[in-house]
Amino acid sequence: MVTASREFQVFVKPVGAACNLDCSYCYYLEKQKLYPRDESPRMPGSVLEDYIAQHIAACPIPTVLFSWHGGEATLLGVDYFRRIVQLQRKHAIAGRDIINDLQTNGTLLDEEWCRFLAAEHFTVGLSLDGPSELHDHYRLSKAGKPTHVQAMHGLLLLQRFGIPHTVLCVVHAGNVGHPLLVYRFFKEAGVRNLVFLPLVMRADDGAVSPETVPARTFGEFMCTIFDEWISKDIGRVNVLMFEEAARPEQGMEHALCVFRPICGELPVLEHNGDFYSCDHFVDRAHFIGNIREKSLISVLEDPAQRSFGLAKRETLPKSCRECGVLEYCNGGCPKDRFVATPGEEFPTNYLCAGYKTFFTHARPAMRRLAAHLKSGQMLESFAQRARPSFAKGPGASRNDPCPCGSGKKFKRCCGANQ
């Protein structure tokens, strides 16, 4: 049995770009233009089964992850997902565990959905942008109505049925000025797993859209939340970007594709079987083939897909290659690299100032955390003294021992880029 040469994940769009909401910042709704004849897209059963069988067979590790995205995948109804689980069992391979992740806006979740999701051990990603006045700024229904109440109902159902879930909060121009309001809202709502996604959208003239988050302000948003998290919530609330900030200090690879040195390990499968290089590059220039003619294995190993992934590292501008926090962001997502800079051969990432602000701010604490865990001590004991220790970082004198515990002087360690 031939498996892929590396781990992979596929964003599957069984309903294409179809959605019951009309969020003004959505980058995927426009993908409906690629399939203008498909008014009600729905992945045919033959394509669905072919994909599921191929994915299980190609997976090189014991855990087989299926990621169901949209649009809004729950538009297909719960019976469609019952069929998905049946097909997975039909093509299961001994010794491999199959898990499913569903991304949703939560507005269509009901008790029937949640009974199914709980019984089949799905994990769920729920889109929610904070309290109602911030969430409803951009996340509206097709009729232009607020959606916060329905999304919160979905969250409460997930909690009630004990379904593992993560909240994905888009950080945009409407909520970036309220970091603690947003973060504390989620804490009070019982959210324990959070992902903050900075919104970067291009307008027709090439500039960023009004909804786009200002880069440095995004970094400040994350710094403010980080300070509260490390003083009160470390070990209780998981924030993906904070976990990513800790990985280089612990000698671990990044889990999030935008921070990896290379990408290309997360192709998209559209409702009709078309493969594209990435969720943010669903266009004809990045079309790889259709599953009816080209296998998943051949897509993953396709030279064009490999080149797409390697280009992320090979087109790093000089300012990135010489940056003190390169190992933390690795230039960010290629879709956000469009800022022309004098003297640079390649464009820089729009979010560069934000990333540098945050990772420089968080690094002293992350270094201390890595040293703490390496010494065999528990996370809880680090949390108890994290805030007082962290506070010393920015105020340390240049010749003081660095508070990260590296043994170097502050000016040659965490203070090098301040």
Side-chain angles (χ1 to χ4, degrees), residues 212-273:
T212 293
V213 63
R216 188 174 298 278
T217 310
F218 169 68
E220 294 166 353
F221 174 95
M222 295 305 303
C223 288
T224 300
I225 294 175
F226 180 83
D227 286 353
E228 172 141 331
W229 172 81
I230 203 165
S231 65
K232 298 180 180 179
D233 304 315
I234 186 170
R236 297 195 309 113
V237 179
N238 301 310
V239 180
L240 182 57
M241 194 164 174
F242 301 164
E243 294 177 0
E244 292 297 314
R247 283 178 171 269
E249 302 302 334
Q250 298 179 56
M252 301 169 63
E253 294 183 357
H254 283 292
L256 196 59
C257 64
V258 298
F259 295 142
R260 291 177 181 173
I262 62 173
C263 55
E265 299 170 357
L266 214 163
V268 166
L269 179 65
E270 266 289 344
H271 65 285
N272 69 336

Side-chain angles (χ1 to χ4, degrees), residues 12 14-15 18 68-77 80-81 102-104 113:
V12 190
V15 73
W68 307 101
H69 283 243
E72 179 51 44
T74 59
L75 285 170
L76 292 166
Y80 189 93
F81 278 81
L102 173 67
Q103 178 60 37
T104 177
W113 261 111

Side-chain angles (χ1 to χ4, degrees), residues 151-398:
M152 285 300 296
H153 178 66
L155 174 61
L156 291 173
L157 282 172
L158 293 174
Q159 293 172 337
R160 175 181 152 197
F161 281 85
I163 299 165
H165 57 280
T166 297
V167 166
L168 283 75
C169 173
V170 175
V171 185
H172 48 65
N175 62 8
V176 72
H178 309 279
L180 292 182
L181 176 64
V182 170
Y183 180 57
R184 290 170 181 172
F185 166 80
F186 288 131
K187 286 200 294 181
E188 291 169 6
V191 175
R192 293 296 174 261
N193 296 287
L194 269 170
V195 177
F196 290 107
L197 302 172
L199 177 67
V200 181
M201 289 184 65
R202 305 289 298 280
D204 292 339
D205 62 359
V208 294
S209 71
E211 300 94 338
T212 293
V213 63
R216 188 174 298 278
T217 310
F218 169 68
E220 294 166 353
F221 174 95
M222 295 305 303
C223 288
T224 300
I225 294 175
F226 180 83
D227 286 353
E228 172 141 331
W229 172 81
I230 203 165
S231 65
K232 298 180 180 179
D233 304 315
I234 186 170
R236 297 195 309 113
V237 179
N238 301 310
V239 180
L240 182 57
M241 194 164 174
F242 301 164
E243 294 177 0
E244 292 297 314
R247 283 178 171 269
E249 302 302 334
Q250 298 179 56
M252 301 169 63
E253 294 183 357
H254 283 292
L256 196 59
C257 64
V258 298
F259 295 142
R260 291 177 181 173
I262 62 173
C263 55
E265 299 170 357
L266 214 163
V268 166
L269 179 65
E270 266 289 344
H271 65 285
N272 69 336
D274 284 348
F275 282 110
Y276 294 90
S277 293
C278 168
D279 195 40
H280 292 287
F281 291 87
V282 176
D283 52 50
R284 290 305 174 194
H286 294 90
F287 171 74
I288 314 174
N290 188 283
I291 197 170
R292 292 184 174 97
E293 293 92 32
K294 192 168 186 174
S295 70
L296 175 59
I297 281 281
S298 61
V299 165
L300 295 169
E301 307 295 339
D302 190 289
Q305 183 69 356
R306 289 298 183 100
S307 296
F308 170 82
L310 290 170
K312 179 179 180 179
R313 182 176 60 193
E314 294 169 353
T315 58
L316 274 175
K318 181 181 179 182
S319 59
C320 282
R321 297 194 301 270
E322 297 177 350
C323 180
V325 296
L326 174 62
E327 63 179 333
Y328 292 86
C329 75
N330 286 295
C333 183
K335 80 175 180 67
D336 298 329
R337 295 184 187 173
F338 54 80
V339 179
T341 305
E344 291 282 13
E345 180 182 2
F346 302 110
T348 57
N349 194 303
Y350 169 83
L351 291 168
C352 176
Y355 285 149
K356 193 166 187 177
T357 295
F358 168 69
F359 287 122
T360 300
H361 181 81
R363 178 167 52 188
M366 294 296 97
R367 285 183 172 172
R368 291 201 302 278
L369 173 61
H372 183 89
L373 297 177
K374 187 176 181 180
S375 69
Q377 299 181 69
M378 300 297 290
L379 180 63
E380 290 75 10
S381 61
F382 176 83
Q384 290 174 1
R385 57 192 179 96
R387 180 56 180 174
S389 179
F390 176 70
K392 297 176 185 176
S397 298
R398 288 174 51 78

